[in-house]
Amino acid sequence: QVQLVETGGGLVQAGGSLRLSCAASGRTFSTYVMGWFRQAPGKEREFIAAISWSGGSTYYPDSVKGRFTISRDNAKNTVYLQMNSLKPEDTAVYYCAADKDSRGHYLPRTLYEYDYWGQGTQVTVSS
């Protein structure tokens, strides 16, 4: 079992930056693929980033590519999401998630592929 706790959300002006952190409990963090999702009011939860267990591979959808960067520190059991050039449409609750299954080089990008979830952290971008 893995417990995930997100921090770092808040209110930021458009064009600004935030860095989210997700701290994981458990000894197997370094074996999990980690992902970030977000959910705006009235919308489905949206995939925004994934990172391999080693940190050597990442994947982003076009909506955030070039603005968001996912990284991890396995020594600290933490995954990060650096968000730059934020837009009002980035306003959402942001969730981190862990995938315990081994999928080779494939990085999961649907919420059904992830096994553990954090409680979320609110990010609000003002115009």
Side-chain angles (χ1 to χ4, degrees):
Q1 190 75 10
V2 173
Q3 292 186 328
L4 305 173
V5 179
E6 303 96 334
T7 57
L11 175 64
V12 63
Q13 288 188 331
S17 298
L18 277 177
R19 188 175 83 154
L20 306 182
S21 299
C22 173
S25 65
R27 295 173 292 176
T28 53
F29 172 80
S30 62
T31 66
Y32 293 167
V33 169
M34 298 299 295
W36 284 96
F37 289 73
R38 66 185 180 188
Q39 189 166 20
K43 295 189 176 181
E44 295 185 349
R45 195 165 296 191
E46 174 192 15
F47 166 78
I48 55 173
I51 188 166
S52 61
W53 65 270
S54 68
S57 297
T58 57
Y59 181 79
Y60 308 90
D62 289 343
S63 58
V64 304
K65 192 178 296 182
R67 298 190 300 124
F68 291 9
T69 303
I70 188 172
S71 61
R72 67 190 297 163
D73 185 339
N74 287 340
K76 295 182 178 180
N77 276 17
T78 302
V79 63
Y80 304 98
L81 184 68
Q82 177 68 42
M83 305 186 293
N84 298 328
S85 302
L86 284 162
K87 307 174 182 179
E89 51 264 43
D90 294 318
T91 294
V93 177
Y94 283 70
Y95 299 88
C96 71
D99 174 20
K100 64 179 177 60
D101 295 323
S102 176
R103 304 179 190 270
H105 296 293
Y106 170 74
L107 293 179
R109 57 207 69 175
T110 72
L111 58 89
Y112 306 105
E113 294 173 295
Y114 287 85
D115 303 290
Y116 306 108
W117 293 84
Q119 83 290 346
T121 186
Q122 176 71 46
V123 172
T124 303
V125 184
S126 63
S127 57

